Amino acid sequence: MSTLENISIVDFLSRLGHQPVRKIGREHFYHSMLRETKKDTPSFTVWDAGGKWIDRGGPGQTNIKGGGIVQLGLAYWPQLTFVEVLHKIKEVSNLDTSLIPEYIPPIKYAHEKEEEGYKFELVNTRPIGSNYVLTQYLKSRGILDVAKGYLSEVYYRHKSGAGDRRTFYAIGWQNEHGNWEFSNAKGFKSSVGAKGISVINGNPDHMVLFEGRFDFLSWLKEKQPHIMPTVIILNTIVFLDKIIDRISNIPVVDVYFDHDGPGRRCTAQLLKEIPHAVDRSYEYQGYKDYNEKIKKEMEPPDYAQKSADQETRNFGTSPKR
């Protein structure tokens, strides 16, 4: 196993016919080869220098969502035994690449320091309301009226001096590292610096959990709690494992994760680890998440459709004589 752990995961995947979609800093991004995916978001990430990988979209059928090359083999060949997987990894790694038609040698990158691996740098931040586009974006999400104090306008640019030096803007909020998570009006999400969870301190005996900041603000708008609980926002479901110990002894834990595959798997995992936690996603049943419910409730009634329906009902009715 110690020999296998020195194998390049990027080269290993290339031998299997899987190429990265892009590389940012130290990380190679792939479309997941471990589960069904629409191929619209590369969620499978490899840190080749550290010999680690993680599927940020959630685990596949094996429930393995990250690790080293051995864990990758176990997830890739779920039908094989542990020893068979070890031999399979060795076999693939020893293949003559000239016999692999789809093999593309991995690109060699210059050494990068850890702090240089982050793509963006912060220019400045401003209070919500000074940027018209971002204000309209929050308005369209139905949370402008509760955003003050929880969101900021974040202005950032690409870190490379030789690259694009334009300043971009997005809605941002800080995580536990003091770095900025952000989402722009077109739906692009990333961070300035290392990602992490966000914590809003409140009642220490009551914890509420969300995947994203907008879902929290949607909940806040609807609930308007007199006593604010402590709020944890994952910012990415990959961080679920790191909060389990933190919340295991909290008397009241409410969970508001998405109604999709990864969200349901995370909810199931959390309820298994913390049996007294309560899945509150029924509060937005029929919607993907809390914010989708809030946006739908904002929509004005379709008076034209109602009028058309009324005319249909009246059609053919003879007037009384």
Side-chain angles (χ1 to χ4, degrees):
M1 286 183 62
S2 60
T3 302
L4 297 182
E5 288 169 355
N6 292 323
I7 295 172
S8 162
I9 295 178
V10 171
D11 181 68
F12 176 71
L13 288 173
S14 186
R15 290 166 181 264
L16 293 172
H18 305 290
Q19 306 300 332
V21 176
R22 64 173 180 265
K23 182 177 185 292
I24 300 176
R26 301 169 300 149
E27 297 181 320
H28 298 75
F29 290 81
Y30 297 74
H31 293 304
S32 179
M33 68 294 297
L34 303 180
R35 54 187 174 80
E36 291 294 328
T37 173
K38 296 180 180 179
K39 306 297 183 185
D40 55 353
T41 303
S43 61
F44 187 97
T45 308
V46 176
W47 175 33
D48 206 37
K52 300 295 182 183
W53 65 275
I54 189 168
D55 193 341
R56 302 182 189 279
Q61 60 174 309
T62 61
N63 207 33
I64 300 173
K65 60 183 178 182
I69 194 167
V70 174
Q71 288 74 26
L72 177 56
L74 292 170
Y76 195 82
W77 295 295
Q79 74 279 9
L80 301 183
T81 67
F82 180 77
V83 174
E84 288 173 335
V85 165
L86 299 184
H87 284 291
K88 191 72 172 176
I89 295 173
K90 182 179 179 182
E91 175 188 332
V92 170
S93 300
N94 288 336
L95 283 175
D96 184 349
T97 54
S98 65
L99 302 177
I100 307 175
E102 67 272 28
Y103 179 77
I104 300 176
I107 300 172
K108 299 295 183 181
Y109 295 91
H111 174 70
E112 296 167 309
K113 296 179 182 179
E114 181 171 350
E115 62 270 18
E116 294 174 340
Y118 304 116
K119 186 176 182 180
F120 304 111
E121 62 183 358
L122 185 68
V123 176
N124 59 48
T125 63
R126 299 176 189 170
I128 291 296
S130 61
N131 184 301
Y132 176 79
V133 173
L134 296 179
T135 300
Q136 292 303 307
Y137 175 48
L138 291 178
K139 187 176 181 180
S140 72
R141 300 296 294 258
I143 54 175
L144 178 62
D145 52 338
V146 291
K148 187 176 180 180
Y150 294 105
L151 299 175
S152 297
E153 295 176 2
V154 172
Y155 295 81
Y156 65 95
R157 63 190 173 201
H158 290 271
K159 203 168 186 180
S160 173
D164 190 344
R165 299 300 288 171
R166 290 178 297 169
T167 297
F168 301 89
Y169 51 82
I171 296 297
W173 57 95
Q174 286 188 290
N175 61 34
E176 61 182 342
H177 307 304
N179 298 321
W180 289 90
E181 308 281 339
F182 66 78
S183 174
N184 70 15
K186 294 183 178 180
F188 173 67
K189 298 178 182 179
S190 190
S191 64
V192 178
K195 293 187 70 63
I197 65 172
S198 298
V199 181
I200 301 171
N201 291 319
N203 179 359
D205 293 327
H206 183 193
M207 195 82 67
V208 292
L209 310 178
F210 299 90
E211 289 188 38
R213 193 81 164 195
F214 290 179
D215 291 323
F216 155 63
L217 291 174
S218 300
W219 168 88
L220 182 65
K221 179 174 182 173
E222 184 168 273
K223 298 293 186 181
Q224 300 182 10
H226 295 296
I227 300 176
M228 178 68 79
T230 294
V231 178
I232 290 184
I233 300 162
L234 296 181
N235 292 318
T236 170
I237 59 175
V238 173
F239 292 143
L240 178 65
D241 288 340
K242 70 182 297 183
I243 70 167
I244 297 295
D245 290 340
R246 184 181 301 203
I247 66 176
S248 60
N249 294 320
I250 303 299
V252 181
V253 178
D254 293 328
V255 186
Y256 295 90
F257 292 163
D258 291 359
H259 281 147
D260 58 12
R264 290 191 178 98
R265 285 194 293 271
C266 283
T267 300
Q269 178 185 341
L270 190 132
L271 295 181
K272 181 179 179 181
E273 301 268 2
I274 306 176
H276 66 274
V278 179
D279 176 13
R280 299 286 185 184
S281 63
Y282 62 83
E283 295 181 14
Y284 41 95
Q285 189 65 40
Y287 303 96
K288 177 180 177 291
D289 53 38
Y290 222 130
N291 186 241
E292 187 175 281
K293 175 188 176 184
I294 292 296
K295 287 194 297 181
K296 188 66 176 178
E297 291 175 347
M298 287 173 45
E299 294 180 3
D302 192 343
Y303 293 111
Q305 183 61 48
K306 288 183 178 180
S307 177
D309 292 343
Q310 185 63 45
E311 288 182 10
T312 299
R313 286 193 293 270
N314 293 337
F315 182 75
T317 303
S318 299
K320 292 182 180 180
R321 297 184 183 274

